[in-house]
């Protein structure tokens, strides 16, 4: 693969050196020969995949050699997303069996590398687990789950670090048809409680602690509080010694006594090593329906309790193969790292790549222990696919303003850099190509918790253009709700197999009918509008005109509920963020910004309000305000220039570190702080200040307060 020196398009940053040797091209040839077609490029393949969905998803099943029984049925082609049809109704498969499918043929290949942050008093060893060993461990955990009384449809909870045991429990859970759900070690007790209370797991796994940024953070001492807050605590608690017990021993002993006290009523605690089956045996896989639930993810909606999104076994399997193997060309020999925690869907995204035969890297710790920390890891582990967040790339770009990362790190193995979490602005594409590596595919990917996959993203068969997501993914009828070539909300017009089954509780799991009905209503309100039946994804985007037959790239402009509309000009918050996130404003002291609309004229119009968090000790003075306004006017337009630019001490972010416009827009327009669910935010203590600022602004505007 190489950069193209001759293409006149100034936005072209990278071109695959041999697009015809990618999985996407091979698959297109296969489709052409099977259906006697002559699809000539990605654009034509994409159009075919959405106009022949049954044939596409069925061919994908065959192409990926899914282990299972396919049957004849694929989907009712006339069904809408709101109809949420069953897919592959006659099929039987198991997600975990497919993830572990290389253990017999390639027992010695490394499936997982586990690495963790060290402290001055503790240096963890890097663990390498072979395909054989992983399958064996999953078998042991599977048998222990069964002995613990876990059956198909029961929920299994996990709270803790990004560790090997989390992956093993996830695989073992799917192997018997149980439903997995996890929370990250940095979620507070209330955040975990809100999740577990909704799904009522029978068993909970907890790591004893993690190291983050040099600090030991024990978890077990929080368990008594958590258990006492649950109306229906898990019957069993399994504690995983991720850290040596002497580093967290005081917290263990205090929590164990309280767990034992609870044990007479409810929860019985034990240690992973005591719990896990000591016998050897076969790992068996329950043949499940394509539409059986596999895991529950939580979306960080900021009002009400988090939405408990239930995904399906078959959809998660088939689409992850499309994503990692077909679109990403990941295969055995690749080493795939994604910086994530078990509290983010990128954990499932990463684990789901095991089916390709690649090695996945689990890293537990801070991604910013030093700016070069993860680049060293790339060299040390020969990582080929490196995934991170746009925020991390931004921070790194500010930490290395003058030095070339490529001069200090080999990065020879690196083929792809993936980014998600928030839009990757054009200047960060430039940063990667100039400072990190020239010959690398930069895959900005977007999808999220709602689909636990990617709607648009990395595509090894297509070029990379500055600021653009490469392509819409095969099989998804994606569009915007506006006229062509204008920004609009991202929609999916046709039913798709990774549509969630619904919000928990689903019918048939012993929950109150009223709760099931409420979950159904909330699901409908979350993704559908009017009676069109199409899926509204909640992202504000623009599909660009097709270049190099990519069928159009995607520009991410923000969340659709954060769209601004001053004087009838609609634009996304990203239009402002991308101007202010370069190194120029970082050097001037800007740390973070948030932009929202203040309703004026009785709601008929709005004014753009920009909140700015400054680096410690740096003021937001008149000079800087002037520079901000000028930069926005020059880069965007006079209509984009904020009416008010206000310094704040903190910008609210979700538990997965995404900044949130919606609650702040509500607060400054008069909603009470109590209307925002604090457990969904990492720093809810900052909300009160926004409510007060809103009150002041409304007074200034002559709006009744
Ligand atoms: C793939 C994604 O979209 C991940 C996220 O931002 O949550």
């Amino acid at each position: 693969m190489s950069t193209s020196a001759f293409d006149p398009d100034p936005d072209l940053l990278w071109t695959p050196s041999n697009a015809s040797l990618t999985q996407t091209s091979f698959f297109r040839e296969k489709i052409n020969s099977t259906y006697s077609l002559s699809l000539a490029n990605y654009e034509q393949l994409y159009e075919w995949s959405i106009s022949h969905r049954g044939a596409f998803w069925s061919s994908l099943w065959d192409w990926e050699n899914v282990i299972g029984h396919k049957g004849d049925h694929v989907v009712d082609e006339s069904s809408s997303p709101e109809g949420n049809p069953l897919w592959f109704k006659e099929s039987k498969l198991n997600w975990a069996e497919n993830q572990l499918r290389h253990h017999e043929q390639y027992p010695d290949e490394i499936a997982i590398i586990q690495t963790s942050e060290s402290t001055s008093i503790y240096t963890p060893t890097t663990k390498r687990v072979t395909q054989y060993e992983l399958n064996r461990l999953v078998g042991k955990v599977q048998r222990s789950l069964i002995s613990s009384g876990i059956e198909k449809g029961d929920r299994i909870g996990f709270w803790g670090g990004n560790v090997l045991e989390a992956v093993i429990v996830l695989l073992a859970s799917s192997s018997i048809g149980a439903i997995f759900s996890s929370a990250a070690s940095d979620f507070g007790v209330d955040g975990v409680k809100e999740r577990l209370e909704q799904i009522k797991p029978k068993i909970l796994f907890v790591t004893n602690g993690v190291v983050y940024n040099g600090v030991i953070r024990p978890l077990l001492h929080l368990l008594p509080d958590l258990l006492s807050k649950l109306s229906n605590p898990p019957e069993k608690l399994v504690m995983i010694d991720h850290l040596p017990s002497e580093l967290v021993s005081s917290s263990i002993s205090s929590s164990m006594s309280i767990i034992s006290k609870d044990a007479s009523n409810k929860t019985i605690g034990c240690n992973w090593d005591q719990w896990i089956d000591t016998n050897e045996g076969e790992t068996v896989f329950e043949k499940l329906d394509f539409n059986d639930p596999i895991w529950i993810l939580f979306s960080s909606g900021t009002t009400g309790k988090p939405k408990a999104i239930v995904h399906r076994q078959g959809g998660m399997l088939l689409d992850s193969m499309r994503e990692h193997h077909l679109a990403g060309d990941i295969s055995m020999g690749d080493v795939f790292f994604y910086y994530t925690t078990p509290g983010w869907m990128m954990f499932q995204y990463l684990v789901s790549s095991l089916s390709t035969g690649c090695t996945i890297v689990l890293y537990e710790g801070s991604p910013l222990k030093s700016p070069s920390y993860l680049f060293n890891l790339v060299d040390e582990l020969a990582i080929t696919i490196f995934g991170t967040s746009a925020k991390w790339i931004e921070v790194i770009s500010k930490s290395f303003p003058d030095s070339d990362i490529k001069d200090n790190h080999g990065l020879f193995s690196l083929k792809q850099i993936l980014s998600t979490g928030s839009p990757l602005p054009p200047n960060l594409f430039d940063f990667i190509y100039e400072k990190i590596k020239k010959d690398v595919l930069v895959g900005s990917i977007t999808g999220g918790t709602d689909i636990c996959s990617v709607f648009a993203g990395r595509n090894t068969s297509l070029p990379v253009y500055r600021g653009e997501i490469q392509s819409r993914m095969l099989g998804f009828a994606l569009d915007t709700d506006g006229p062509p070539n204008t920004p609009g909300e991202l929609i999916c017009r046709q039913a798709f197999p990774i549509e969630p089954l619904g919000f928990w509780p689903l019918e048939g799991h012993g929950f109150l009918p009223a709760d099931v009905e409420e979950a159904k209503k909330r699901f409908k309100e979350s993704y559908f509008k009017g009676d069109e039946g199409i899926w509204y994804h909640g992202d504000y985007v623009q599909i660009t005109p097709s270049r190099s037959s990519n069928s159009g790239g995607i520009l991410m402009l923000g969340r659709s509920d954060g769209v601004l509309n001053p004087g009838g000009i609609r634009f996304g918050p990203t239009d402002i963020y991308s101007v202010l996130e370069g190194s120029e404003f970082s050097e001037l002291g800007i740390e973070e910004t948030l932009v929202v609309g203040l309703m004026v004229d009785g709601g008929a119009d709005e004014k753009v309000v920009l909140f700015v968090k400054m680096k410690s000790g740096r003021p937001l003075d008149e000079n800087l305000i002037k520079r901000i306004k000028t930069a926005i006017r020059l880069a965007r337009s006079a209509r984009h220039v904020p009416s008010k630019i206000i310094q704040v001490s903190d910008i609210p972010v979700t538990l997965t570190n995404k900044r949130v416009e919606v609650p702040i827009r509500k607060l400054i327009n008069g909603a009470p702080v109590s209307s925002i669910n604090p457990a969904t935010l990492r720093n809810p203590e900052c909300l009160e200040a926004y409510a007060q600022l809103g009150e002041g602004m409304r007074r200034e505007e002559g709006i009744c307060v």
Side-chain angles (χ1 to χ4, degrees), residues 410-455:
L411 307 181
F412 304 115
S413 55
L414 197 56
K415 298 190 287 191
Q416 300 174 19
I417 296 179
L418 305 183
S419 165
T420 193
S422 55
L424 188 70
N427 65 305
L428 293 183
F429 279 75
D430 292 337
F431 168 75
I432 294 174
Y433 283 107
E434 281 163 22
K435 301 280 170 108
I436 301 181
K437 187 160 180 168
K438 219 172 171 48
D439 185 10
V440 74
L441 184 165
V442 175
S444 174
I445 62 177
T446 188
T449 311
D450 316 278
I451 56 169
C452 194
S453 186
V454 163
F455 265 161

Side-chain angles (χ1 to χ4, degrees), residues 95 99 167 170-171 347-355 360:
W95 178 87
Q99 299 305 334
V167 177
L170 170 57
L171 289 161
F347 174 72
Q348 273 86 353
Y349 181 88
L350 175 66
V351 178
S352 297
S353 68
L354 283 171
S355 68
I360 62 168

Side-chain angles (χ1 to χ4, degrees), residues 95-125:
W95 178 87
E97 181 173 22
N98 279 278
Q99 299 305 334
L100 292 166
R101 63 184 174 171
H102 301 284
H103 78 275
E104 272 178 10
Q105 211 179 342
Y106 301 101
D108 299 329
E109 288 293 323
I110 302 297
I112 301 182
I113 301 177
Q114 156 90 75
T115 166
S116 314
E117 192 183 317
S118 53
T119 68
S120 52
I121 53 166
Y122 165 61
T123 307
T125 48

